Amino acid sequence: MDIGVLLPTATAQWGPADDPRELIALGREAERAGFSSLFVGDSLISPRIEALTMLAALAPVTDTVTLGTAALLPFLRRPVQAAQSLASVDLLSGGRLTVTVGAGFPGRFGRPLYTLSELPWERRFARLDETVALWRALWDGADSFHGDLLHFDDLPPTTRPARGHPPIWLGGATPAALARTGRTYDGWLPYPPDPADYASGLHAVRGAAADAGRAPEDVTPALFVSVRVDDDTESGRRALDDYARAVYGMPLDRLEEIQAVVTGSADQVLQGLQRYADAGARHVVIRLAALDLPSQRDQLERLAALLPALRATSAQKSSAPLRSSGVQ
């Protein structure tokens, strides 16, 4: 299993005395501790370090970790320029970029951002898929692109990634998103609160992949989950409630209705994450539920101690037949 961390690039996750330049040191510590990847979020809702700027800063000071977005919102950027920025990060990192994309959500996390981007909310999923198709075409050297929504003639030569295409994952768990993931994306990064929903979603993704002539291993099964290692479940939930209110403006009981959340003692966290491994997750992106950088570092150290056990469990699950995940 690949196990990564989401770096706290949003100011809501910093303390008054925190220096955002410490995010680079935190990323390097995560790599040394054995984490497989470093991911960053993307939004205009809360002040934060811009996602691709953060990855560009990490690229030359890390060696092996995957650098990823969770999730990049392509509609916030001009599509051709975004392709060049992504290719540049991939080049600077030596081919370590993974791009999770999303189309935004209803409410304050979606529609107002489309207004700021001067794009219509309608047909946002078609626009997302066409943007990804445009990126891939540009990286293949295309000089024009004609979709239903995006039209470009006489495209100039663009920066090419270190690899042909960086992997592009989709974040989302609606039936339509599952079908689109299986058909055209390289990975799936949802955050379902119930591992059973993860298992059923992965079954649907693999079914769509098979229908499109793709193999199950063509789509990386990933998971985004908020984690807090504490003395026990009660103290962990109190800290997570503070986190949910500070970052999302909602109590924990509402947050965990829509997002995967795991907390408690080290053994309890291990058991909670293993339930998702049992459901098929093979790349877990962990958001450290803490509200200042020293506490983030403490959570990183606590989770690093769990890495050998998590990977051992995943290795056992990976050796089982695929039908255990519902795929024949």
Side-chain angles (χ1 to χ4, degrees):
M1 177 180 283
D2 287 313
I3 302 164
V5 294
L6 183 83
L7 290 177
T9 56
T11 59
Q13 298 162 294
W14 306 344
D18 287 340
D19 184 341
R21 291 173 294 184
E22 286 298 307
L23 294 170
I24 296 173
L26 185 64
R28 297 179 67 184
E29 289 169 22
E31 182 177 53
R32 288 195 296 267
F35 288 90
S36 305
S37 58
L38 301 173
F39 278 74
V40 295
D42 185 33
S43 180
L44 291 179
I45 293 299
S46 59
R48 66 180 62 230
I49 303 297
E50 192 272 330
L52 300 184
T53 303
M54 187 74 246
L55 295 184
L58 289 166
V61 298
T62 55
D63 297 310
T64 61
V65 287
T66 294
L67 301 178
T69 59
L72 192 75
L73 302 175
F75 66 86
L76 297 179
R77 299 163 175 83
R78 298 290 186 182
V80 174
Q81 286 87 340
Q84 181 170 354
S85 296
L86 291 168
S88 299
V89 173
D90 194 58
L91 282 169
L92 291 171
S93 67
R96 291 184 283 126
L97 179 65
T98 290
V99 187
T100 307
V101 297
F105 299 95
R108 72 186 188 96
F109 294 103
R111 191 181 290 268
L113 300 186
Y114 277 82
T115 299
L116 287 171
S117 301
E118 300 180 316
L119 290 173
W121 174 251
E122 293 72 26
R123 302 196 68 190
R124 59 193 181 279
F125 301 113
R127 183 178 298 276
L128 174 65
D129 291 347
E130 279 199 13
T131 298
V132 171
L134 170 65
W135 292 346
R136 289 169 169 165
L138 284 165
W139 296 331
D140 285 339
D143 58 10
S144 64
F145 182 88
H146 299 284
D148 291 335
L149 298 173
L150 301 177
H151 307 274
F152 295 98
D153 291 311
D154 300 321
L155 287 168
T158 191
T159 304
R160 301 286 187 90
R163 298 163 290 176
H165 297 166
I168 302 181
W169 299 356
L170 184 64
T174 64
L178 300 176
R180 290 161 53 230
T181 300
R183 287 196 306 267
T184 61
Y185 286 85
D186 304 305
W188 182 49
L189 184 64
Y191 45 69
D194 188 341
D197 291 334
Y198 187 92
S200 62
L202 181 57
H203 178 61
V205 167
R206 286 175 167 166
D211 290 343
R214 307 176 73 199
E217 58 268 23
D218 290 342
V219 184
T220 299
L223 170 75
F224 184 92
V225 56
S226 296
V227 175
R228 172 82 185 194
V229 184
D230 220 307
D231 296 332
D232 52 45
T233 302
E234 183 179 349
S235 59
R237 287 187 64 81
R238 285 197 300 268
L240 266 169
D241 186 69
D242 291 340
Y243 182 89
R245 293 176 186 275
V247 174
Y248 283 100
M250 65 176 68
L252 175 60
D253 57 358
R254 284 183 56 199
L255 179 66
E256 60 189 354
E257 290 176 357
I258 56 175
Q259 291 192 7
V261 174
V262 174
T263 190
S265 66
D267 286 342
Q268 290 169 322
V269 167
L270 182 60
Q271 291 169 11
L273 293 177
Q274 284 175 338
R275 292 177 65 204
Y276 284 99
D278 293 346
R282 292 295 176 266
H283 194 136
V284 177
V285 179
I286 294 174
R287 177 167 55 186
L288 307 171
L291 291 174
D292 58 65
L293 295 186
S295 298
Q296 294 268 347
R297 184 170 283 108
D298 175 68
Q299 286 295 305
L300 186 75
E301 294 172 357
R302 291 178 181 232
L303 282 163
L306 303 181
L307 293 181
L310 281 169
R311 288 181 172 135
T313 298
S314 175
Q316 295 172 0
K317 300 300 178 184
S318 294
S319 64
L322 280 174
R323 62 177 175 271
S324 65
S325 296
V327 176
Q328 302 296 326

